[in-house]
Amino acid sequence: MADINNSKMSDEEILIDLYSQFELLQIQINELGDSAFEKPGKYGKNIMEDYIIYSNAYSNASYIYQKFPNNRRQLVEDALYNISEEKSKTDPNTSVIKSNELVIEKYNRTIDLKFKDTGNIEGVQLFFDNTIWEYAMIAFVVMLAVRMFTMDISCGAYKMIHSSLNGQRSLFIKQFASVSVVVTAITVFTALIQIIFGKIFFDVNDLSLPLQSFPEFEFCPYLISTGIYFLIKFLCKLLFYIMIAAITAMVSVLCRKQFVSYAVSLSAGIIPLIIITYYFIYTTENASALASEYKIYNSLRCFLPQGLLNIKSYFRTFDYIDIFGFQISRLFLVLLISAVIMLTCLAVALRKYGKSKEVTI
C-alpha cells in the first residue's frame, strides 16, 4: 500500500494495477501448483502470500474508491426519490418525508477514507464484547453493591443512618461513590486492554481514522473517528454498570436481605441481556426471520439498557426512530432511558435509606 500511494497513481489506476497483479498471481499459482508455496514473493514469504496480500489490497481499494462512495450516493438518490413519491400523494406522510430528509443530511457529506491497512476492528469486538464477560461484570457489580448496602444493619451502621438527614445522605453518597469508583476503574482497565490488544494483535493502530474506514460501519451516519467510537462504547458500558449499581442499591435498601437483593438485582441485569442477545442471534443467523423478528430486536434496543453493552448495532446503519414526528437516534433514546432509571433508583434509595425496619441485633 505504501508503494502504491508513493507512486502517485490515480484512484482508477490503483484499482487497475491491483487487479492486474491479482490476476497475474492467480495465473502463476495455477501453473506452479504446490511449488507456489516455495517460490519467494515480492512482499510475502512466497507467491501464495503475495496473492493474499494483493487480494486484500484490491478489496480495500474497491471499497474505498468504488463501493463506499457509490453506495452513499445511492442512499441519497433513494431518499430523494422517496420524498418525491411521498409528496406526490394526496395525503403525504410527513414522518416519511422527515426521515428521508435526515438520510440526505447524514449521508450527503464527504468522508475522507485513506487507502491503508486499517486493521481488524471486527476481531477486536468479537473477543472483547461478549456476553460471558458482561454476565460476570453484572454479577460483580451486584455483589459489590449488595454487600455495601445490606451490611448496614449487621455492622451497626444503622445507628449512623438514623442520626440525621445529612448523615444519611453523606453515608449513602460515600457508599455509592465507592461502588462507582471500583466499577469505573475496572471498566477503564478493560477499555485500555481492548485498545492495546487491538493495536498489537488486530493492527487497529490509527484511532483517528473515520469509523467508516471499516466496511462493517459503511452505513454509519455519524462523522466520528474510531477513537471516538471506542470512547462512546466505554461511556455507554460505564453508564450501564452504574445503573445496575443504582438498581441494586435501591433493592438492597428496600428489602435489607442479601439473598433477595442478589436475586432481584441479577434478574434485572441479566434477564434482559439474555433476551436481547437471543433476538440478535436469532435474527442474524436465520434470514427468513429478518422481516419480522429483526423489528422486535430493533424495538428492544430502543428501551433496554442492555443494548449499551454492545453498541456496534447502533452504528451500523441509519438507526433512527420516529417519536411524535421527531427522528430520534435509538442510541440516544436508550441512553436517556438508562439515565432516567439510574436517577430514579438513586432517588428512591436515598429517600428510603434511613427508614429501615426495626431489627434485633
Side-chain angles (χ1 to χ4, degrees), residues 305-323:
Q306 281 72 9
L308 297 175
L309 294 175
N310 193 354
I311 64 169
K312 62 183 179 183
S313 296
Y314 297 99
F315 288 84
R316 281 175 166 169
T317 185
F318 182 80
D319 204 27
Y320 286 78
I321 186 173
D322 181 80
I323 299 178

Side-chain angles (χ1 to χ4, degrees), residues 226-345:
T226 307
I228 295 298
Y229 169 74
F230 277 113
L231 177 61
I232 294 172
K233 183 164 67 168
F234 157 71
L235 293 175
C236 287
K237 287 194 174 192
L238 182 59
L239 174 63
F240 175 81
Y241 295 142
I242 294 179
M243 185 203 71
I244 292 296
I247 292 173
T248 307
M250 181 188 69
V251 173
S252 300
V253 166
L254 290 176
C255 70
R256 295 292 183 182
K257 295 180 180 179
Q258 288 192 31
F259 180 77
V260 177
S261 299
Y262 279 130
V264 175
S265 302
L266 279 174
S267 298
I270 291 179
I271 291 177
L273 179 58
I274 293 173
I275 293 172
I276 200 170
T277 303
Y278 163 77
Y279 266 107
F280 173 74
I281 294 172
Y282 181 62
T283 55
T284 52
E285 73 177 4
N286 187 355
S288 62
L290 292 178
S292 59
E293 304 301 335
Y294 199 75
K295 292 181 180 178
I296 299 175
Y297 173 66
N298 274 338
S299 299
L300 291 173
R301 291 192 298 116
C302 289
F303 64 87
L304 283 184
Q306 281 72 9
L308 297 175
L309 294 175
N310 193 354
I311 64 169
K312 62 183 179 183
S313 296
Y314 297 99
F315 288 84
R316 281 175 166 169
T317 185
F318 182 80
D319 204 27
Y320 286 78
I321 186 173
D322 181 80
I323 299 178
F324 303 118
F326 295 96
Q327 297 296 318
I328 307 295
S329 164
R330 279 189 174 88
L331 179 60
F332 174 80
L333 184 60
V334 77
L335 281 169
L336 180 62
I337 291 172
S338 302
V340 169
I341 292 173
M342 179 184 70
L343 294 175
T344 302
C345 291

Side-chain angles (χ1 to χ4, degrees), residues 185-219:
I186 294 174
T187 308
V188 169
F189 176 74
T190 53
L192 291 175
I193 290 294
Q194 184 174 26
I195 292 174
I196 292 170
F197 275 50
K199 286 177 173 289
I200 297 174
F201 298 107
F202 298 97
D203 298 322
V204 182
N205 296 308
D206 192 350
L207 297 180
S208 66
L209 289 174
L211 187 59
Q212 291 82 358
S213 299
F214 303 92
E216 181 182 3
F217 297 104
E218 177 184 356
F219 298 107

